[in-house]
Amino acid sequence: MPSVFSNVQYFPNLSEKLQFNSAPPTVRIIHSGHACNVEEERHTERVYTIREGETLELTCLVTGHPRPQIRWTKTAGSVSDRFQDSSVFNETLHIAKIQRTQGGRYYCKAENGLGSPAIKSIRVDVYYLDDPVVTVHQSIGEAKEQFYYERTVFLRCVANSNPPVRYSWHRGREVLTQGSDKGVEIYEPFFTQGETKILKLKNLRPQDYANYSCIASVRNVCGIPDRSVIFRLTNKTASPSIKLLVEDPIVVNPGQTVSLVCITTGGEPPPMLTWVSSNDSLPQRSVMKGGTLTLPAITSDEAGVYSCVASNNVGNPAKKSTTIVVRALKKGRFWITPDPYHNDDHIQIGREVKISCQVEATPPEELTFSWLKNGRALRSSERMVITQTDPDISPGTTNLDIIDLKFTDFGTYTCVAALKGGGIPEISIDVNISSTTVPPNLTVPRGKSPLVAREGDTVELECLVSGKPKPIILWSRADKEAPMPDGSMQMESYDGVLRIVNVSREMTGSYRCQTSQYNGFNVKPREAIVELIVQYPPTVEPVFMEMRQGLGRPVVMTCRVLRAHPSRVLRFEWLLSNRLLHAGAFDAQRDETEYTIRSLNRDGWGEYTCNVINEAGAGKCTFQVTGKAYPPEFYYDTYNPLWQNRPRVYGFKLQWTQMNPNAVDRIVAYRLGIRQMGLQRWWEQEIPVDGTINKGELMTHNLTELIKPESYEVRLTPITRFGEGDSAIRIVTYSGKREFHCSFEEEPICMFTQDKNDDFDWTRHSAATRDTKYTPNTGPSGDRSGSRQGFYMYIETSRPRKEGDQARLISPFFNVAPKNPYGITNPPAYCFGFFYHMYGKHIGTLNAFLKQKGQTASEGLVWSLSGNQGDRWKQAKVSIHPTSSFQVVLQGIRGPGIEGDIAIDDITLEEGECRDPPPNKYSSLDLIHVIYSGGIISKSRSDLDISLTCHK
């Protein structure tokens, strides 16, 4: 590979330029993609218009050093709208096939830690036009389902659109307008202005039965064509009517296939049939064909109300519904109630006892119960009373009351629940009544409360339940209203044990175990409390910290304890690469421990660990002490960093500053690596550095012999006594067309400077803050984009300025190809452009000059204009042909009075000839300046051809 390096240009005296080299961010949004219009004039904001389905592409151009971080955000759109994660932090926001919900205001935010973040926005307006829909209504007789003669009919046309739609009506080939037919009235309802247009046919006549066309138009904006719909009105036009060929309700067993049939019984045009469900959406496996909806292998979850809806845009849609009930039996439970007339929870001979049985049944009216004793059918009698509880009080519940309990009544009682139609498995519940049937009791085993565990363990909270039958145990938090580990407020346990996996510190507290009335005695619940204490090792900070320091300097490391349980910390230890440095008991009066290196030597670099230890474990602070230099920060705002001195190669001015150069030992050199994009091999060179680098000093290195049009990856690594520091990488991209743009939005005004030898200065201002008290009828009302908040440069011609005073604004230097000892036969061309505002009866003159470096000749005038040009911004473009590095100078000359403010904005410099210079129109009153372009005279077929440019 040919050499791509040249000697470094280092400026040790640039420390005073810190403010320049470390610059807060600036932002400018440019647009590409498929925009159909970008309004930047007559608006206080920029509006980017795009057609739905096209590609939105916005690029955020930033300046600032260090390089600002970019983030895109959006407002004023759909809350659920999210653009791609890959676009959020890129300079370019790319949204393919944009939808209407993605319109709104897009913000580009850039920040680099200096000053306030820079934010710019642009409003994206998505244009679209849907097919129009015509709906038909009549003023009376809707119930008759027919449009008879001498009825008034309303045809309403609606189309969703942006921008607002414009409607027109046709009857056959006849265009209908208000007043064109006495029997026709066209109007917009007051409450829907612009949203629809209604065609009213008063007292229908035979000629009114025809084809009506509604044409919706957005006037071809964004190339969106008109859309239309045709409705045929006849004497048979009628709203829809339907009939369901099914029962209501439909009761089926799980697994059956259900078919719902809906037919139309009227309506012209023929109605469209759809099915909807009360469950928000139809089952995934459902099949709809015509008016028939088929639900294969139906489940309980698919039960609900299903509705057939018919619509033909005439009158109101017709709707009929049916309910599908899926038969089911579930959740069988029982409870035993001792004699309520005695204050005793035990079952005793001679007293009453009640057994209750409950299930959930669908449909509830089909539920039947039967009772067995020891497997034999049991019928209701005077001593064995079988009842069913009122469904409004306790649905699906049956009771067996045993009056005057005898020894012979002991045994197993079975409650059997079934549905009348069959096909659903029965539920049987066995309840044993004997001398051992006793109410429950709860206790906590010895040593199980308080229960001490370590964070991350699996613990079992235990309550011993006695009694027969054993009830379900309910667990809940006793100390506060908080959910259980599974997220519910209450957990069930059949063995009295609550098992918690991966216990956390937040689970410390009191837990209540309580008997449930289900599957046990219907008595006052028994309960007990279990205390859980979760220990965890100390939480410390910092978990990790990198500390960069030079040799011979002190290093202080502090490890702080935030929380721990038990809070009594036992000890601490400091280690360097697992070698113990210091250990001891933790001071209870302090929440931190400290380790100091008085003078760092080479052996002191490495990873330091501080372990703070209690009974539950250790918390660890880690400090990486290193002499690595911080990475350099590339300077991206270099003006004209790229130059071309030969046809096949180009050069690039690489500039950077050093992040925190004094944090470590002096940087003695940089290792520069470069490789062509797509290739693996790196070419490296070491760049020596003399002296000490100060913060903010700008260094420059020229890369030469870069091959057109390839891009290169550049890696820059600082080197100290420690060795290599952190690298920084950037991409150098060849741009065949170099551009410069300045809109004066930021205070540095793009490196423009005021001429020290002129009479007064140009002023940066915005219309929102400019005081026009003494200068009426002159100056712009906004910047070039129409924004009152935007900035521009202008000359203030009020007193003490006098006629002929000059203000000169000088651009930074722009590079061209280095001087060729053999001369340049074809100097490069550049298009210099800017917007100007010259409004007022005392307007003087605005001149543009080309100033070339190294030339003794005076500046060359390239553009000039005088006099009042009206209250609007206009653009000027002129081709220039410099032979060396150059500047452009804008000179404003004060006219005969105070109403002579001249403003400029949006200055551009592009490589190549101006392709579309603004048109010039002359009148006998116009002042015409004829100048030769760029001061360059070239020979052609004629003896001497001078390029002349005529400007208004």
Side-chain angles (χ1 to χ4, degrees):
M1 178 176 177
S3 172
V4 294
F5 307 107
S6 65
N7 61 323
V8 67
Q9 300 176 27
Y10 177 62
F11 305 98
N13 60 341
L14 292 183
S15 57
E16 70 274 14
K17 296 189 178 182
L18 171 63
Q19 184 178 4
F20 164 69
N21 292 329
S22 296
T26 69
V27 169
R28 184 164 60 94
I29 296 177
I30 63 172
H31 43 77
S32 54
H34 296 150
C36 49
N37 188 34
V38 180
E39 284 284 352
E40 297 182 296
E41 295 183 294
R42 302 181 303 278
H43 285 271
T44 59
E45 61 181 355
R46 302 176 68 200
V47 182
Y48 180 102
T49 306
I50 188 171
R51 181 173 174 174
E52 187 173 48
E54 300 289 0
T55 297
L56 171 70
E57 197 165 277
L58 301 175
T59 300
C60 190
L61 299 183
V62 299
T63 65
H65 188 71
R67 185 67 167 171
Q69 296 293 316
I70 294 173
R71 178 179 175 86
W72 285 95
T73 56
K74 174 180 176 290
T75 60
S78 169
V79 174
S80 62
D81 177 52
R82 297 286 184 271
F83 32 77
Q84 302 93 323
D85 290 341
S86 60
S87 296
V88 174
F89 298 101
N90 287 347
E91 290 187 359
T92 299
L93 176 66
H94 182 92
I95 301 178
K97 297 182 179 178
I98 192 169
Q99 300 301 305
R100 61 193 66 178
T101 56
Q102 294 174 303
R105 181 173 292 282
Y106 286 82
Y107 292 85
C108 175
K109 178 180 180 181
E111 53 187 336
N112 64 355
L114 298 176
S116 300
I119 302 175
K120 290 291 183 182
S121 68
I122 186 169
R123 198 182 87 212
V124 175
D125 213 354
V126 181
Y127 278 8
Y128 58 90
L129 174 61
D130 293 343
D131 288 328
V133 176
V134 170
T135 56
V136 183
H137 296 271
Q138 64 175 351
S139 59
I140 58 173
E142 192 72 75
K144 297 180 181 180
E145 300 181 352
Q146 284 273 332
F147 286 85
Y148 294 97
Y149 186 61
E150 293 188 350
R151 292 288 185 266
T152 297
V153 173
F154 300 86
L155 279 72
R156 177 175 177 171
C157 186
V158 177
N160 295 320
S161 75
N162 183 35
V165 71
R166 181 180 295 170
Y167 300 96
S168 59
W169 282 99
H170 293 235
R171 180 169 57 199
R173 297 185 178 179
E174 175 190 4
V175 178
L176 296 177
T177 58
Q178 183 66 26
S180 63
D181 186 330
K182 292 183 179 181
V184 176
E185 184 178 339
I186 301 174
Y187 67 96
E188 295 178 353
F190 177 75
F191 55 88
T192 59
Q193 286 292 314
E195 297 178 9
T196 182
K197 182 155 286 190
I198 293 178
L199 183 68
K200 180 179 179 182
L201 306 176
K202 300 175 289 186
N203 296 325
L204 280 180
R205 304 160 299 177
Q207 63 265 34
D208 291 329
Y209 296 116
N211 289 336
Y212 290 85
S213 301
C214 173
I215 300 174
S217 174
V218 290
R219 298 161 294 286
N220 203 40
V221 296
C222 285
I224 299 175
D226 295 349
R227 297 182 182 270
S228 63
V229 62
I230 298 177
F231 184 88
R232 181 171 178 77
L233 182 66
T234 70
N235 58 359
K236 294 182 180 180
T237 300
S239 57
S241 60
I242 56 175
K243 181 178 180 181
L244 291 183
L245 303 182
V246 292
E247 299 177 354
D248 184 28
I250 304 171
V251 181
V252 296
N253 290 332
Q256 284 186 231
T257 295
V258 181
S259 292
L260 306 179
V261 180
C262 178
I263 61 172
T264 59
T265 57
E268 179 64 34
M272 294 286 294
L273 296 177
T274 57
W275 281 92
V276 294
S277 168
S278 59
N279 297 326
D280 295 333
S281 61
L282 294 175
Q284 193 171 4
R285 295 175 292 113
S286 63
V287 178
M288 189 161 54
K289 186 176 181 180
T292 300
L293 176 66
T294 302
L295 306 173
I298 196 166
T299 64
S300 296
D301 294 337
E302 295 169 349
V305 178
Y306 288 79
S307 303
C308 176
V309 181
S311 176
N312 65 352
N313 292 336
V314 179
N316 296 319
K319 181 179 180 180
K320 289 189 179 295
S321 305
T322 185
T323 302
I324 297 179
V325 178
V326 181
R327 304 164 81 241
L329 277 177
K330 54 186 178 181
K331 289 190 177 178
R333 292 175 167 177
F334 76 91
W335 59 93
I336 302 169
T337 306
D339 192 338
Y341 299 105
H342 295 81
N343 189 20
D344 191 347
D345 291 342
H346 290 76
I347 296 174
Q348 295 187 19
I349 299 295
R351 293 183 182 178
E352 179 183 338
V353 62
K354 180 193 287 186
I355 307 172
S356 300
C357 175
Q358 185 184 67
V359 296
E360 292 183 8
T362 305
E365 61 270 14
E366 290 191 11
L367 176 62
T368 63
F369 285 107
S370 59
W371 284 89
L372 306 175
K373 179 185 178 184
N374 298 329
R376 299 179 63 181
L378 187 66
R379 297 183 181 280
S380 186
S381 63
E382 290 185 2
R383 275 199 337 102
M384 299 282 184
V385 181
I386 300 174
T387 60
Q388 199 152 336
T389 306
D390 186 340
D392 294 334
I393 299 174
S394 182
T397 304
T398 182
N399 307 295
L400 172 61
D401 278 294
I402 305 175
I403 311 299
D404 188 16
L405 181 68
K406 299 181 182 303
F407 182 78
T408 56
D409 294 330
F410 288 167
T412 300
Y413 293 83
T414 305
C415 162
V416 181
L419 295 180
K420 294 176 182 177
I424 303 297
E426 298 175 339
I427 291 180
S428 296
I429 302 171
D430 293 334
V431 183
N432 186 264
I433 301 295
S434 68
S435 59
T436 60
T437 302
V438 293
N441 190 36
L442 274 181
T443 58
V444 178
R446 184 184 299 273
K448 292 293 187 178
S449 181
L451 184 65
V452 179
R454 293 191 176 181
E455 194 168 39
D457 289 350
T458 296
V459 299
E460 290 185 347
L461 307 186
E462 188 176 352
C463 279
L464 291 179
V465 56
S466 61
K468 185 179 180 182
K470 288 185 178 181
I472 297 172
I473 302 300
L474 304 177
W475 285 91
S476 61
R477 292 296 292 261
D479 54 344
K480 56 185 176 181
E481 282 288 327
M484 296 293 286
D486 68 348
S488 65
M489 297 304 293
Q490 199 173 62
M491 293 176 66
E492 292 185 354
S493 168
Y494 289 87
D495 59 359
V497 175
L498 174 64
R499 192 167 188 264
I500 304 176
V501 178
N502 193 21
V503 68
S504 65
R505 63 192 68 180
E506 292 80 13
M507 296 177 186
T508 295
S510 302
Y511 290 79
R512 177 188 295 110
C513 61
Q514 185 179 52
T515 59
S516 164
Q517 73 167 21
Y518 298 117
N519 298 359
F521 274 71
N522 183 23
V523 294
K524 182 179 179 181
R526 275 58 168 167
E527 65 177 48
I529 301 295
V530 178
E531 295 287 342
L532 174 62
I533 300 173
V534 180
Q535 296 182 341
Y536 53 90
T539 301
V540 297
E541 69 173 11
V543 175
F544 179 84
M545 176 182 285
E546 184 182 62
M547 305 185 74
R548 304 197 185 209
Q549 189 60 280
L551 294 174
R553 302 178 189 175
V555 178
V556 180
M557 292 165 277
T558 303
C559 185
R560 182 174 296 106
V561 178
L562 302 178
R563 65 190 73 86
H565 191 84
S567 57
R568 183 171 58 88
V569 176
L570 298 180
R571 58 194 177 88
F572 67 86
E573 56 184 24
W574 284 91
L575 303 96
L576 172 59
S577 302
N578 297 321
R579 177 169 58 88
L580 184 64
L581 300 175
H582 180 51
F586 202 89
D587 187 351
Q589 303 300 318
R590 302 180 62 192
D591 60 356
E592 62 186 32
T593 177
E594 191 174 274
Y595 185 78
T596 302
I597 304 172
R598 297 186 182 277
S599 179
L600 183 65
N601 56 33
R602 292 182 178 273
D603 296 333
W605 283 323
E607 184 175 278
Y608 290 77
T609 302
C610 174
N611 293 322
V612 183
I613 306 162
N614 69 356
E615 297 174 11
K620 183 168 71 173
C621 295
T622 301
F623 301 88
Q624 185 70 43
V625 178
T626 176
K628 288 177 62 175
Y630 285 96
E633 295 174 313
F634 285 113
Y635 189 65
Y636 285 82
D637 300 335
T638 305
Y639 286 107
N640 300 304
L642 186 147
W643 74 86
Q644 304 168 57
N645 54 4
R646 297 213 303 275
R648 296 183 181 180
V649 298
Y650 68 99
F652 187 85
K653 181 190 292 185
L654 188 71
Q655 293 187 304
W656 71 93
T657 61
Q658 178 60 42
M659 179 191 295
N660 300 331
N662 300 319
V664 295
D665 292 319
R666 186 180 70 82
I667 295 172
V668 297
Y670 284 95
R671 179 165 287 114
L672 175 66
I674 185 169
R675 69 174 177 182
Q676 187 175 316
M677 296 295 289
L679 302 182
Q680 297 297 319
R681 186 175 180 182
W682 286 88
W683 295 84
E684 292 189 337
Q685 178 197 21
E686 198 164 284
I687 306 172
V689 175
D690 295 328
T692 302
I693 300 174
N694 292 319
K695 186 175 177 63
E697 291 186 2
L698 189 66
M699 284 162 283
T700 301
H701 183 86
N702 292 328
L703 304 177
T704 60
E705 303 295 326
L706 303 178
I707 301 172
K708 297 179 184 178
E710 303 296 338
S711 297
Y712 291 85
E713 187 174 3
V714 178
R715 181 178 64 202
L716 196 60
T717 309
I719 301 173
T720 64
R721 287 191 292 174
F722 174 85
E724 290 191 355
D726 291 335
S727 300
I729 293 178
R730 70 163 295 177
I731 305 298
V732 171
T733 303
Y734 173 75
S735 174
K737 199 166 189 73
R738 288 183 285 164
E739 298 181 2
F740 167 84
H741 177 274
C742 183
S743 58
F744 303 111
E745 294 302 311
E746 303 300 330
E747 186 59 45
I749 59 172
C750 315
M751 297 289 295
F752 275 82
T753 56
Q754 307 279 358
D755 193 335
K756 296 181 180 179
N757 298 318
D758 57 7
D759 301 307
F760 66 109
D761 288 344
W762 287 82
T763 302
R764 174 179 174 269
H765 233 314
S766 69
T769 57
R770 184 181 174 200
D771 183 5
T772 58
K773 181 177 179 181
Y774 301 105
T775 54
N777 304 317
T778 188
S781 58
D783 73 353
R784 202 278 297 183
S785 69
S787 170
R788 289 185 57 80
Q789 284 71 38
F791 285 85
Y792 53 86
M793 302 294 289
Y794 83 105
I795 59 169
E796 173 60 64
T797 56
S798 302
R799 296 180 181 87
R801 303 276 69 82
K802 58 183 182 294
E803 185 173 4
D805 280 358
Q806 300 179 15
R808 287 164 52 88
L809 192 66
I810 305 175
S811 77
F813 270 102
F814 298 102
N815 297 326
V816 295
K819 295 184 72 173
N820 188 322
Y822 302 103
I824 297 179
T825 56
N826 294 306
Y830 295 89
C831 180
F832 173 55
F834 59 93
F835 282 81
Y836 60 89
H837 188 282
M838 301 171 66
Y839 168 57
K841 62 183 181 181
H842 301 140
I843 291 292
T845 300
L846 177 63
N847 295 322
F849 296 93
L850 176 65
K851 182 178 181 181
Q852 302 192 64
K853 189 174 183 180
Q855 293 193 8
T856 57
S858 61
E859 303 163 353
L861 182 67
V862 295
W863 186 93
S864 182
L865 187 62
S866 300
N868 186 0
Q869 305 299 315
D871 187 11
R872 60 186 179 276
W873 287 95
K874 295 182 179 181
Q875 188 178 26
K877 285 185 178 181
V878 59
S879 295
I880 57 176
H881 304 82
T883 57
S884 63
S885 297
F886 65 96
Q887 295 169 290
V888 290
V889 181
L890 287 161
Q891 179 190 59
I893 302 176
R894 201 253 199 190
I898 63 173
E899 295 182 19
D901 292 355
I902 298 175
I904 56 174
D905 200 1
D906 283 355
I907 295 177
T908 59
L909 186 70
E910 301 179 3
E911 199 169 41
E913 298 280 352
C914 295
R915 294 187 177 182
D916 301 305
N920 288 308
K921 297 179 181 178
Y922 300 104
S923 68
S924 59
L925 298 177
D926 288 330
L927 176 63
I928 300 175
H929 290 261
V930 180
I931 58 177
Y932 74 90
S933 177
I936 301 298
I937 303 176
S938 59
K939 290 188 177 181
S940 65
R941 292 182 182 177
S942 61
D943 189 25
L944 185 62
D945 182 14
I946 301 178
S947 173
L948 297 180
T949 305
C950 186
H951 296 273
K952 178 180 175 181

